[in-house]
């Protein structure tokens, strides 16, 4: 399985600021995804991070609010822009294994917006 | 969009008891995955199922991929305190596509 490192693991952010979360994988992977998990809820897909092209966003998520970069096959970033308390969540990076049918998760980035 | 119905939402059991939880979908998936999430952690993959009818074990955990491709269950035998956590089912339609998650089953084990 892939080893996925996320930074920061936790942060407390001021309303109106932006924060960039980094995801580093120990091997090259084709597919990387970003999920959000609001308090007490399940995981919701934000977007698929595409290497060399714009991310593919799910309904309800837009690039201006959640810009994503994927400069290579081992790294991606998710920015949460102009944060409000409603953005307080765990943000999770995930990758698909070699055959594409097993998905692994990082430990998550826990953001609290005050 | 697709949704998974996961039940039960929560369970309180005595240590040593067996546990069963399941997921159903209105549409077909080609892969079913079961994850456990501990407080402060990301989801950890427990079992992956790739074929309809497949029954797979991982220690005290057993999971099955339903014949209709629209359901899966997870059993935990002889529960122990460290089984406490939230268990999520997830379905994948095709390789290299994102997962659809159930709402989770919160398991509490009373020693």
């Amino acid at each position: 399985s892939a080893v996925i490192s996320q930074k920061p693991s936790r942060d407390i952010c001021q309303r109106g600021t932006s924060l960039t979360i980094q995801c580093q994988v120990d091997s090259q992977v084709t597919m990387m995804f970003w999920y959000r998990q609001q308090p007490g809820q399940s995981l919701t897909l934000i977007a698929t991070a595409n290497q060399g092209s714009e991310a593919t966003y799910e309904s309800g998520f837009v690039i201006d609010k959640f810009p994503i970069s994927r400069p290579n096959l081992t790294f991606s970033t998710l920015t949460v822009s102009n944060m409000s308390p409603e953005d307080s969540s765990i943000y999770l990076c995930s990758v698909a294994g070699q055959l594409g049918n097993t998905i692994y998760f990082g430990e998550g980035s826990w953001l609290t917006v005050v | 969009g697709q949704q998974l119905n996961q039940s039960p939402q929560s369970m309180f059991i005595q240590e040593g008891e067996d546990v069963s939880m399941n997921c159903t979908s209105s549409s077909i998936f080609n892969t079913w995955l079961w994850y456990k999430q501990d407080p402060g952690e990301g989801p950890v993959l427990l079992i992956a199922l790739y074929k309809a009818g497949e029954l797979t074990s991982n220690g005290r955990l057993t999971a099955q991929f339903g014949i209709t491709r629209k359901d899966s269950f997870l059993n935990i035998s002889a529960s122990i305190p460290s089984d406490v956590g939230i268990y999520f089912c997830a379905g994948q339609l095709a390789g290299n596509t994102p997962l659809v998650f159930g709402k989770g089953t919160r398991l509490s084990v009373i020693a």
Side-chain angles (χ1 to χ4, degrees):
Chain A
S1 62
V3 176
I4 305 166
S5 303
Q6 277 188 242
K7 286 187 204 177
S9 55
R10 287 180 186 273
D11 209 339
I12 299 173
C13 308
Q14 292 293 322
R15 187 192 300 246
T17 63
S18 299
L19 182 81
T20 296
I21 302 165
Q22 298 180 2
C23 177
Q24 178 74 55
V25 191
D26 68 341
S27 58
Q28 291 188 337
V29 292
T30 305
M31 304 303 291
M32 293 179 80
F33 309 99
W34 286 98
Y35 286 81
R36 181 176 73 182
Q37 187 177 26
Q38 293 176 301
Q41 303 294 314
S42 186
L43 286 78
T44 301
L45 180 68
I46 298 172
T48 301
N50 301 309
Q51 196 262 328
S53 64
E54 197 170 279
T56 305
Y57 289 85
E58 296 299 299
S59 174
F61 297 96
V62 295
I63 187 171
D64 290 346
K65 176 68 176 176
F66 297 102
I68 288 170
S69 80
R70 176 99 191 265
N72 56 53
L73 293 177
T74 64
F75 186 78
S76 177
T77 67
L78 168 75
T79 299
V80 186
S81 304
N82 188 25
M83 286 185 282
S84 66
E86 292 71 36
D87 294 319
S88 298
S89 294
I90 309 167
Y91 292 87
L92 293 147
C93 171
S94 71
V95 305
Q98 208 167 11
L99 298 178
N101 56 3
T102 307
I103 307 291
Y104 302 100
F105 285 84
E107 296 211 337
S109 297
W110 295 62
L111 302 189
T112 302
V113 184
V114 298
Chain B
Q2 290 176 310
Q3 291 193 353
L4 297 184
N5 297 310
Q6 185 172 350
S7 65
Q9 279 190 323
S10 62
M11 302 179 75
F12 289 83
I13 61 168
Q14 292 282 341
E15 184 177 356
E17 285 185 350
D18 297 344
V19 172
S20 185
M21 58 193 80
N22 69 83
C23 261
T24 59
S25 169
S26 57
S27 54
I28 288 171
F29 287 104
N30 288 310
T31 299
W32 283 91
L33 304 166
W34 285 91
Y35 293 86
K36 178 177 183 245
Q37 188 174 28
D38 292 328
E41 308 280 335
V44 173
L45 181 65
L46 298 174
I47 292 181
L49 301 158
Y50 304 113
K51 280 173 58 173
E54 180 181 354
L55 184 72
T56 297
S57 293
N58 177 8
R60 293 179 297 106
L61 277 60
T62 302
Q64 184 154 32
F65 189 148
I67 280 290
T68 65
R69 295 179 179 268
K70 292 184 180 180
D71 63 305
S72 177
F73 72 74
L74 174 71
N75 287 344
I76 305 173
S77 62
S79 58
I80 60 179
S82 62
D83 291 333
V84 166
I86 304 176
Y87 292 80
F88 290 100
C89 64
Q92 187 188 41
L93 188 57
N96 286 317
T97 61
L99 301 178
V100 177
F101 279 86
K103 292 186 184 247
T105 295
R106 184 179 294 272
L107 180 63
S108 301
V109 179
I110 304 163

